[in-house]
Amino acid sequence: LAALPKVYNIADRLLANSQLLPATKRAVIDADGSYSYLEVQDLVLRAATALRELGLEPEDRLLLIIGDTILFPTLFLGAIRAGIVPIPLNPLLSEEDFRYIIEDSRVKAIIAASHDTDKINHAASTAARIKWIEYDNGLNGPGIGARILAASPYQLPVATVADEIAFWLYSSGSTGRPKGVRHLHRNVAVTIECFAERVLGLRSTDAVFSAAKLFFAYGLGNGLTFPFGVGASAIYLNERPTPDSVIDLMETTHPTVFCGVPTLFASLLASPRAAELADLGLRICTSAGEALPPEIGRRFEDLTGAPIIDGLGSTEMLHIFLANRPGQIRYGSSGVPVPGYEAQLLDENGSVVTLPDTIGELVVRGYSAADGYWNQRDKSLATFRGHWTHTGDKYLRDDDGFYYYAGRSDDMMKVSGNWVSPFEVESALIAHPKVLEAAVVPWKDTDTLIKPKAYVVLQPKVVATTELTVELQAFVKEQVSPWKYPRWIEFVEELPKTATGKIQRFKLRES
Ligand code: 3SK
């Protein structure tokens, strides 16, 4: 890994390309226009001044509850440049989640999208430490945009060091309350070098469109730190990514790199406009958030000519640390460790699993690991153990060293003394042509013994019947060991999911 100087500010590193790239090179393309690297640098420096003028000091924390527009890199990098610690959040969180995070993070100030005024004002009403709330009405509107444009772009830089906290992300996780994950300036540089450059081969001629939003670790890398890190263009979609909004934007902006999640790739393929994806000039795609069904990967590549690099990352590791490689893709697998990372599987006693095709808990070692969770000592100790980060994911590794997802550790269940991975049963169900999505959870039978139960979303127009239940159970039994088949199947309209598309099985277990 490239050595970093001690005094280091990741915002300066990401803006270093401004002076080197031609003035015509677009750094950001959003719904209202496009901005060159020099223009973005100017905005970031003004934002740094504006935030200091608003009374924030280095190391103060600032919540950013804004969409994917030019204001995101402006404020995120402006805060970091001024030594202030930004905490981007999903604007769609509930008032209750905002209240919890505002208290937990002890932020001094909030910048939020203007349509969320009531929700944010209520959530912040009991927080004594908040100095101010500003609203985002766009760069050229009143509110934070006007303050940025009025501020000076000249300010003495704050001397931060590579190993101090640059920003936090809140991990929604598949269970429990969100946790504040504290990342260092250094961690961003590691993910750019290891994943963006060495796996994706990202370069300044690329234009990256991430349908995954910037508030989320996956989207933050794809849509901000990676393109800025190599001097590429970043394309932003502020609305919900649907097949129509994604295809429309691709047709007008021509990205070479597209970053999505499996549900979106599946809905793009199912869209009546799927054929339009064939001629868009995509070079490569990435998928994360949950395991990509192999059929989806193959069909998307056949259609577009662009491979999907499926990988596994986490908010704790900042970005992807297991990934397929262009030219060596195995759809259905999360690939192999990204250069700069090491992975191991641990058995129930904490010993390293050496046998191929044997399930263990995945642990990973790499320099982008977070500094820890805020105010959660026990959880930090359990997750960040020396150099190794415990992922809570079950994986197996084949003879060739490729890793295959086997479910979340806390979702595993024991049936008749045997471990059952919900993911294996779900994959068997999803292979049935009438099934769109499935989630499997432990359920007690009349003897209070644990057995698998499935929640199934059917393909459009398929009718749920008792015969279909029997058909699906038989279908699963053909593919997996007999004790694993779902004893009950409940047909539902949709499954509970996190903002990043992970199934929240705990909600189904509690239902
Ligand atoms: O879910 C993932 O695989 C992921 C990837 C990159 C960054 C963050 C996350 C959670």
Side-chain angles (χ1 to χ4, degrees):
L1 289 176
L4 299 182
K6 189 166 170 53
V7 174
Y8 186 82
N9 186 295
I10 192 63
D12 285 338
R13 154 73 180 87
L14 296 177
L15 294 168
N17 284 311
S18 317
Q19 310 298 328
L20 310 174
L21 291 163
T24 49
K25 176 77 202 176
R26 307 285 85 188
V28 170
I29 299 163
D30 76 2
D32 292 327
S34 65
Y35 307 83
S36 70
Y37 267 94
L38 277 176
E39 286 168 327
V40 175
Q41 183 184 45
D42 178 74
L43 288 171
V44 168
L45 299 180
R46 288 177 195 273
T49 313
L51 294 173
R52 294 298 302 275
E53 283 172 0
L54 277 161
L56 293 183
E57 298 288 334
E59 296 182 31
D60 281 348
R61 294 185 280 275
L62 164 69
L63 274 194
L64 292 181
I65 313 175
I66 57 176
D68 285 18
T69 71
I70 182 64
L71 278 175
F72 194 108
T74 300
L75 285 161
F76 185 76
L77 298 180
I80 292 177
R81 177 87 190 346
I84 296 159
V85 178
I87 308 179
L89 282 188
N90 179 356
L92 298 179
L93 289 179
S94 66
E95 186 177 312
E96 182 44 38
D97 277 335
F98 283 132
R99 192 188 323 280
Y100 173 80
I101 291 172
I102 289 167
E103 288 292 348
D104 181 62
S105 60
R106 303 189 192 153
V107 282
K108 291 270 170 59
I110 302 177
I111 300 176
S114 54
H115 50 81
D116 277 334
T117 322
D118 285 349
K119 194 159 72 168
I120 304 299
N121 282 341
H122 286 152
S125 58
T126 50
R129 293 172 205 244
I130 298 280
K131 290 185 173 170
W132 48 261
I133 305 178
E134 283 279 333
Y135 284 96
D136 159 15
N137 295 291
L139 182 60
N140 297 306
I144 194 67
R147 285 192 185 272
I148 293 169
L149 292 180
S152 158
Y154 303 107
Q155 195 210 12
L156 286 179
V158 174
T160 53
V161 295
D163 285 338
E164 78 176 78
I165 307 293
F167 59 96
W168 297 14
L169 295 170
Y170 266 84
S171 151
S172 57
S174 43
T175 51
R177 287 281 202 184
K179 299 183 284 295
V181 180
R182 300 174 304 153
H183 276 290
L184 311 176
H185 291 258
R186 165 190 306 282
N187 299 1
V188 176
V190 173
T191 58
I192 297 170
E193 180 178 339
C194 295
F195 184 65
E197 294 182 332
R198 288 161 77 175
V199 174
L200 297 181
L202 203 68
R203 42 193 182 254
S204 62
T205 46
D206 278 314
V208 187
F209 168 25
S210 174
K213 300 288 173 196
L214 292 167
F215 66 79
F216 166 43
Y218 176 51
L220 184 67
N222 306 334
L224 200 167
T225 63
F226 293 174
F228 278 54
V230 303
S233 304
I235 298 166
Y236 294 159
L237 173 71
N238 197 17
E239 48 187 290
R240 204 168 72 85
T242 61
D244 279 338
S245 63
V246 165
I247 295 174
D248 284 345
L249 189 59
M250 286 199 193
E251 284 177 342
T252 49
T253 57
H254 306 289
T256 55
V257 182
F258 173 61
C259 308
V261 294
T263 331
L264 182 58
F265 285 110
S267 58
L268 282 167
L269 285 172
S271 152
R273 296 179 59 191
E276 292 173 48
L277 294 164
D279 308 315
L280 293 175
L282 283 173
R283 174 175 83 74
I284 202 167
C285 301
T286 68
S287 178
E290 58 176 330
L292 179 73
E295 260 314 291
I296 302 289
R298 283 191 207 102
R299 283 175 50 211
F300 197 88
E301 180 170 353
D302 286 348
L303 177 67
T304 62
I308 303 184
I309 303 297
D310 186 16
L312 173 75
S314 68
T315 308
E316 286 76 0
M317 294 303 291
L318 189 53
H319 214 272
I320 289 176
F321 52 85
L322 279 187
N324 282 275
R325 295 295 145 72
Q328 298 162 33
I329 290 180
R330 292 212 188 161
Y331 286 120
S333 161
S334 302
V336 298
V338 163
Y341 294 84
E342 261 179 86
Q344 284 184 345
L345 299 177
L346 302 183
D347 68 15
E348 280 169 51
N349 305 316
S351 305
V352 177
V353 174
T354 47
L355 287 177
D357 301 324
T358 310
I359 294 181
E361 194 208 343
L362 179 73
V363 296
V364 57
R365 172 185 172 130
Y367 271 105
S368 62
D371 195 48
Y373 298 122
W374 165 253
N375 196 17
Q376 301 262 6
R377 182 77 177 132
D378 287 343
K379 287 190 176 147
S380 294
L381 287 171
T383 302
F384 305 100
R385 303 192 203 170
H387 281 279
W388 292 93
T389 300
H390 285 237
T391 64
D393 285 320
K394 293 278 184 192
Y395 262 82
L396 56 85
R397 188 179 47 231
D398 70 11
D399 259 337
D400 299 330
F402 278 74
Y403 284 78
Y404 291 80
Y405 183 60
R408 289 285 304 167
S409 301
D410 39 20
D411 287 332
M412 298 290 281
M413 63 189 103
K414 234 177 195 176
V415 177
S416 318
N418 300 296
W419 282 113
V420 175
S421 153
F423 183 71
E424 188 186 358
V425 186
E426 289 159 11
S427 304
L429 279 164
I430 294 167
H432 193 285
K434 293 183 183 159
V435 174
L436 184 65
E437 288 186 308
V440 171
V441 296
W443 207 255
K444 285 189 184 142
D445 67 10
T446 44
D447 298 321
T448 70
L449 296 171
I450 296 292
K451 300 283 180 317
K453 169 175 177 178
Y455 290 83
V456 167
V457 182
L458 292 171
Q459 294 281 5
K461 303 204 177 81
V462 178
V463 181
T465 59
T466 322
E467 290 72 35
L468 183 56
T469 301
V470 177
E471 182 183 329
L472 292 179
Q473 287 173 322
F475 184 74
V476 173
K477 277 192 218 167
E478 281 166 21
Q479 303 172 69
V480 301
S481 316
W483 67 85
K484 297 182 179 174
Y485 85 94
R487 310 306 194 271
W488 308 270
I489 296 185
E490 190 170 326
F491 297 104
V492 290
E493 291 296 314
E494 59 180 357
L495 298 173
K497 289 192 179 166
T498 64
T500 58
K502 290 192 171 79
I503 299 174
Q504 294 173 305
R505 293 186 189 76
F506 77 96
K507 291 204 171 150
L508 297 170
R509 280 199 299 265
E510 287 161 8
S511 68

